[in-house]
Amino acid sequence: MMRPTARLLFKHPRVFTPSRALSTSFQTATNEDVIAHCDQYLAPYYADVIPIAVEKTQGPFITSVEGASYFDLNGGYGACRFGHNPSQVVSAAQAQMDKCSLPSRGYMNPMLGTLGEKLANIYKDVLKPRNGAVNPQIATKVGGGDACDYAIKLALKWGVDKKNIPDGEMFGGHDLFHGRMISCLPPNMGDDAMSKGFAQTGMGFPHKVLSVFNSIEDIEKIFKTHGDKIAGCMGEYVLGEAGVRIANPEYLQRMRELCDETNTLMIADDVQTFASTGNYSPSQHPVFEGYNVKPDVVVIAKALTSGVTPGSVIIADREVQGVMGPGTDGSTFGGNPVMCAASLATLNMIETDKLFDELDVIGGKIRGTMLAAQKKNPSIVDVRGLGAMLAVEFDTATKAKYALASVGVGLSADESEISGLRVDGVRLKATRGNILRVSPTLMSDEEV
C-alpha cells in the first residue's frame, strides 16, 4: 500500500533553501546538515541525540526540517507533558511579553505574588505540617538543576541555624538524579562522566552520603553514623533518569521518620514528576496512601510552564524558607512575569480541563500495550510506571537498542495518517542502556 500524502497540521513560516553550508540565516536542508552545523559550534556534551532536527512541534508531534513528523514520546523529559505549544499557555506568555517581560527581582511584580498564592494553596496539602500547620512560601529559579541547588543551600543553612552543624552533609541515594549543578553531582563512583573530573572525589562537594535505593537497612545504618551531621535528605519518589523506578512506600516512610528524629529536612525532587503521575506531586499518588511520606521541601520545574519558557520553584513552609535571609540567594530570571504567566496558565489548564484524569487514561492505555508486548517478548523483563511516567526494561542493552530502532523506523501506511498528519514513526530515548523511557504527552484516543 502506498504511503498517504503528507498533510501537515501547520505551515512553515519561511521557505528553506537546501544548503550543505548552513548560515546564520538558518537555511536548512536535511537533518544531517543541521546536526553537522551544531556539532561544529556547540560544546560536545550532548553526543547521543536522536538524529532529528526539529523545526516544528504541535501537540504530541514533532516535525523535522525534512518535513517528517513523529510521535514524541520523549516529551521534553516531561516538560511538555500537556503537549507541545498548548494554546492557553502560549497565549498567556505572549500577552505577558507584550506587557512586561523582565523587570528583574530588584522590583516586585504582581504575577509573582499571584503564582506564590496559587502554589501555596496547592502545596499546603503536600508539605509536612510544622507546629500543626502549613504556611508555604516559594523561591523561584530558572531550571530544575539550579532549583535543586537552592534546595541544597536551604538544607545546609537549616543545618547551620537549626542543628548547629557548620559543615553539614546531604543524604541521597545511588541512581538518583538532581541535575548537573556542581552541588547536585553525586560523588564519583568510578567512570561516571557526570561526576568524574569535577572535584567529586571522596564524599563529593558538598559532602554527600548515599544509600542503596529502597534499602531501609542501609538508610538506618547511615543515619546511625551520620544523623547528627546530615542537614538535608534529597530524594525522588519516582526515579526518572534511572529508568522510572518507584520508591517503596515503607522506604520513604522510614526516611521521613529518620528525618523527624534528627531534625533533617526531607526534600522531594519533583522536577520531572510534577504533574506526571496523575497528581501535582507523586507523594499524593494512591500507591503512597496511608504512609507518612510528606516532605518538608518540594522542587518543581519542567511541566510547570508546559515547556513554553524555563521556570522552576522551590516550595517549603515559612519556617524553613525563613533561614534564607536577604542576600543568601537570588536569580535574575527566576520568577519573571512570563514564567509566572505560563505557570499560572498551566495550573489553570490542569484544573479546568481535568488533565490529570486524561494523563491517567493515556498512561494506562500505553502501559497496557506494553504489558501485552511483554507477554510475547521474553526479553522484556519489566514494564513499570505511575501515571504518564513509564518504562520498558529489556534484559540487554542490545535488545533495547533494537527496539528503539524498530519504533523509529516508521509506522505502516494504515497507521500513519492520524489527525490529518502523516506520522513517520515514534521517537523516544533510552536510559541506562537497556531501559526505554516512555514519556507521552496529552493526545487524543485516536493518537493513543
Side-chain angles (χ1 to χ4, degrees):
M1 182 183 295
M2 294 181 60
R3 293 182 64 85
T5 303
R7 294 171 55 209
L8 298 180
L9 291 173
F10 31 75
K11 297 180 180 179
H12 290 292
R14 53 184 174 270
V15 176
F16 292 100
T17 303
S19 172
R20 296 302 298 180
L22 304 185
S23 69
T24 54
S25 64
F26 198 52
Q27 294 176 325
T28 59
T30 67
N31 292 319
E32 183 182 354
D33 288 340
V34 175
I35 292 170
H37 189 220
C38 290
D39 284 345
Q40 182 178 357
Y41 294 103
L42 303 185
Y45 49 82
Y46 273 110
D48 60 343
V49 297
I50 300 170
I52 296 173
V54 179
E55 165 62 10
K56 281 287 186 178
T57 58
Q58 188 66 51
F61 302 110
I62 56 173
T63 298
S64 75
V65 294
E66 297 177 1
S69 295
Y70 307 88
F71 273 113
D72 179 20
L73 293 184
N74 190 39
Y77 299 109
C80 302
R81 183 64 67 201
F82 307 113
H84 292 283
N85 309 335
S87 58
Q88 303 98 310
V89 183
V90 171
S91 296
Q94 287 177 335
Q96 184 59 51
M97 281 186 221
D98 290 340
K99 195 160 50 172
C100 173
S101 59
L102 185 66
S104 93
R105 285 303 307 276
Y107 310 93
M108 286 295 182
N109 74 78
M111 297 297 290
L112 188 52
T114 303
L115 177 60
E117 181 181 10
K118 181 74 172 179
L119 289 172
N121 287 330
I122 291 172
Y123 279 85
K124 66 183 180 182
D125 296 325
V126 175
L127 296 173
K128 174 186 178 289
R130 307 191 73 83
N131 301 315
V134 181
N135 297 290
Q137 290 185 326
I138 71 169
T140 54
K141 290 291 185 175
V142 179
D146 56 339
C148 286
D149 176 78
Y150 175 95
I152 292 172
K153 288 179 65 177
L154 175 63
L156 295 176
K157 191 66 164 59
W158 176 268
V160 171
D161 291 2
K162 304 295 184 178
K163 296 184 66 172
N164 195 29
I165 46 175
D167 297 310
E169 299 173 351
M170 292 298 298
F171 171 87
H174 295 291
D175 293 330
L176 300 186
F177 179 79
H178 305 297
R180 293 181 171 87
M181 306 290 285
I182 282 287
S183 65
C184 301
L185 297 180
N188 182 35
M189 307 299 287
D191 292 324
D192 182 3
M194 189 170 68
S195 297
K196 188 178 181 181
F198 297 107
Q200 297 300 316
T201 55
M203 293 179 67
F205 176 80
H207 284 179
K208 305 176 184 77
V209 284
L210 304 183
S211 78
V212 176
F213 182 65
N214 274 337
S215 172
I216 294 176
E217 180 182 2
D218 207 35
I219 61 173
E220 287 179 336
K221 287 181 181 178
I222 288 172
F223 268 87
K224 184 175 181 179
T225 56
H226 291 263
D228 59 338
K229 302 175 185 177
I230 298 174
C233 177
M234 181 176 278
E236 297 175 273
Y237 290 76
V238 182
L239 277 59
E241 194 71 15
V244 192
R245 295 167 59 194
I246 303 167
N248 292 332
E250 296 84 1
Y251 170 77
L252 292 176
Q253 180 165 281
R254 186 59 181 137
M255 185 185 296
R256 176 72 269 175
E257 292 168 351
L258 292 167
C259 286
D260 289 341
E261 292 170 9
T262 57
N263 197 23
T264 299
L265 292 183
M266 182 172 170
I267 304 166
D269 177 355
D270 286 356
V271 167
Q272 191 171 150
T273 53
F274 169 78
S276 293
T277 61
N279 319 84
Y280 286 108
S281 170
S283 64
Q284 298 172 301
H285 193 278
V287 73
F288 300 114
E289 188 175 353
Y291 291 87
N292 175 23
V293 298
K294 289 189 174 184
D296 299 298
V297 183
V298 179
V299 184
I300 59 175
K302 292 192 183 290
L304 175 64
T305 56
S306 294
V308 171
T309 183
S312 56
V313 174
I314 308 92
I315 310 158
D317 186 82
R318 178 186 298 269
E319 179 188 355
V320 177
Q321 294 280 28
V323 302
M324 298 295 284
T328 55
D329 205 81
S331 176
T332 299
F333 287 92
N336 69 76
V338 177
M339 170 265 180
C340 292
S343 300
L344 287 165
T346 297
L347 295 170
N348 182 65
M349 184 173 65
I350 289 171
E351 293 175 1
T352 57
D353 295 345
K354 295 181 171 53
L355 296 187
F356 288 155
D357 293 341
E358 289 195 37
L359 284 176
D360 271 343
V361 171
I362 292 167
K365 288 183 177 180
I366 294 176
R367 185 173 184 176
T369 300
M370 295 191 302
L371 286 169
Q374 183 182 21
K375 292 179 180 179
K376 301 176 183 178
N377 189 343
S379 64
I380 297 177
V381 297
D382 193 21
V383 170
R384 55 181 177 265
L386 291 181
M389 283 189 73
L390 305 166
V392 182
E393 183 171 348
F394 290 80
D395 54 7
T396 67
T398 301
K399 290 174 182 175
K401 187 175 182 180
Y402 175 79
L404 194 63
S406 296
V407 297
V409 167
L411 306 176
S412 70
D414 292 335
E415 298 169 316
S416 64
E417 185 78 11
I418 300 176
S419 300
L421 175 68
R422 192 188 79 179
V423 182
D424 295 273
V426 178
R427 285 293 184 258
L428 45 81
K429 213 166 185 291
T431 186
R432 302 299 170 101
N434 66 320
I435 302 170
L436 298 188
R437 199 165 22 158
V438 182
S439 184
T441 65
L442 283 178
M443 57 184 77
S444 69
D445 289 342
E446 180 191 12
E447 292 159 352
V448 175

